[in-house]
Amino acid sequence: MSVPRPATLADIAAAAGVSISTVSRALRGRGEMAADTRARVRTVAEDLGYPAADRTGGRPRGGTALMIDLVLGTFHDPYADEVTAGARTAASQLGYDLVLTAERDDPREDWPVRIRSRGTAGVILGLILPTRAQRAALASAGIPLVLLDPPSDAALPLPSVRTTDRAGGAEAARHLVERGAERFLVIGGAPSYRYGRARVEGFTETLRALAPQAPLVRTSADWSGRDARKACAAAIGCLDGAGPIGVFACSDEMAAGAYPAIADAGLSIPRDVLVVGFDDVRGARWLQPPLTTIRQPIREMAAAAVRTLTARGNGTVVEHSAIELPTELIARGSTATRPRSRDRAAVTSPSH
C-alpha cells in the first residue's frame, strides 16, 4: 500500500492559481497581498494537508525585534493623535520603534497575524477588547499585550492603563453647579462603553447629591459631533423650568457638536449655557469660546502602557494589574462666570 505524497508548495500554487513565492509569503504571513488571495492559499493548503497550513507567522529566528505595535481601530482622530505621540516618545526613550497597526474588519487579515510575522516585542491595544483567539495567537508566540482604555470591564488576564472616568464626571457636575447652572443635560456615548458609562454615572450621582431637584435630561450620541448636535438640540427642547443650563458631554468631539445646537436654539455660551467636555484634545481650546473639559492624560497613559509592556516582557508586571491615571478639570471660556445683572432676563426653554 503506497503512502500518499505530502503536498508541496508547488501543489498549492497550482491549485490556488498563484506563484510558489506567493504561496510561501501567504503561509508565512509576510508581505502585502490581497486578503482574498491570502485566504485562498491558506484554504487550499489546509485542504491538501500541507503541514505548515495551520501555523501563524511567529517571531524571526534572530529573536525579538526592537519594536512595539500600537493597535487602534482608527488613526484619524484627535484621540489617536495623542495616543500615538505619547507612545512614540516613550518607545523611543526605551530604544524601541513604534509600529502603527490598524484593526481591520476582515478576520482573514486579523492584526495578530500581521504582528506575529514581524516578531514584535509587544502590543498595545487601544479602545479594543481582544478575543480569546487573538489573545491565544499572541500568547503562543510569547508576545506580551497591554490594554489601553479597554471598552468593557470584562476580567481578562492582562494589564491595562486607564483614567479616573467616574471622578472626572463627578468633577464636571461640581463645576457646573458651582458656576451657577440650574438645569442640566448630559450627552453619553453610544455604544455605551465602560468609560462612557463611568463618566455619566459619576456626573449624575454627584449632581443628585448637590442639586437633587434640578431638572436633568440624559441623551446619547454615537461619539461624533454631528450626532451630538442632533441629540443636544432635541434634549434642550425637553428641559423643563428656567435658569442657566449646564451641558456635560462625554467627549470633546460631542461637546463641540453641542455648540451649534445651542446657537440654533437662540442661546449663547456661556451666558445661557455652560458646557463641559471630556478628553482635552487639542481642538478643545480652539472652540469659541474655548471648551472647559475634563483632561484625561492621554499621552501619559500611552507612555505608561509602553513602560508596562516592556516591564511585562521582562516578567515584572502582575497579570490583571490596572494603572489608573487621574483626570483634571481644565476651566476655559465655555464655563466662564456669567455677568451678574438685575436686568438679565431668565433663560427659558425654547418652544418645541
Side-chain angles (χ1 to χ4, degrees), residues 240-266:
D240 294 327
I245 299 171
V247 175
F248 172 55
C250 281
S251 75
D252 287 348
E253 185 172 354
M254 291 197 293
Y259 273 49
I262 292 166
D264 291 343

Side-chain angles (χ1 to χ4, degrees), residues 79-326:
Y79 177 90
D81 290 343
E82 294 295 304
V83 169
T84 301
R88 180 186 293 119
T89 299
S92 177
Q93 291 172 345
L94 293 169
Y96 291 84
D97 290 323
L98 185 70
V99 179
L100 305 184
T101 302
E103 182 189 39
R104 298 175 184 170
D105 292 333
D106 190 342
R108 297 170 298 181
E109 285 288 279
D110 208 5
W111 53 267
V113 175
R114 289 171 278 144
I115 285 172
R116 283 175 54 127
S117 69
R118 293 196 284 266
T120 185
V123 177
I124 297 171
L125 190 59
L127 303 178
I128 300 170
L129 206 64
T131 65
R132 180 178 299 179
Q134 290 170 337
R135 299 198 310 271
L138 294 185
S140 65
I143 299 175
L145 174 63
V146 172
L147 305 181
L148 175 63
D149 240 351
S152 89
D153 287 314
L156 296 178
L158 297 168
S160 65
V161 180
R162 58 189 70 184
T163 192
T164 52
D165 294 288
R166 182 182 291 270
E171 184 63 23
R174 283 192 291 270
H175 181 72
L176 288 172
V177 170
E178 290 170 358
R179 290 300 172 100
E182 298 173 12
R183 300 179 292 156
F184 299 87
L185 190 165
V186 58
I187 307 174
S192 182
Y193 297 124
R194 171 198 59 80
Y195 39 82
R197 291 195 304 272
R199 295 167 193 177
V200 171
E201 290 167 2
F203 181 87
T204 54
E205 289 173 4
T206 301
L207 178 63
R208 285 310 177 208
L210 297 176
Q213 302 304 317
L216 169 64
V217 172
R218 288 186 256 192
T219 187
S220 64
D222 64 4
W223 295 95
S224 72
R226 181 175 181 178
D227 201 41
R229 178 176 183 172
K230 293 186 291 185
C232 183
I236 287 176
C238 295
L239 268 174
D240 294 327
I245 299 171
V247 175
F248 172 55
C250 281
S251 75
D252 287 348
E253 185 172 354
M254 291 197 293
Y259 273 49
I262 292 166
D264 291 343
L267 304 175
S268 174
I269 304 172
R271 185 193 65 199
D272 308 320
V273 183
L274 308 170
V275 182
V276 177
F278 201 110
D279 286 332
D280 196 28
V281 295
R282 282 178 296 177
R285 68 202 68 178
W286 298 337
L287 292 172
Q288 290 300 322
L291 177 66
T292 292
T293 187
I294 304 298
R295 178 182 183 269
Q296 60 168 328
I298 301 174
R299 293 196 183 199
E300 293 89 336
M301 290 162 61
V306 169
R307 292 191 292 270
T308 301
L309 184 65
T310 55
R312 185 169 186 248
N314 294 330
T316 58
V317 171
V318 178
E319 302 292 359
H320 301 278
S321 62
I323 297 173
E324 199 171 60
L325 300 185

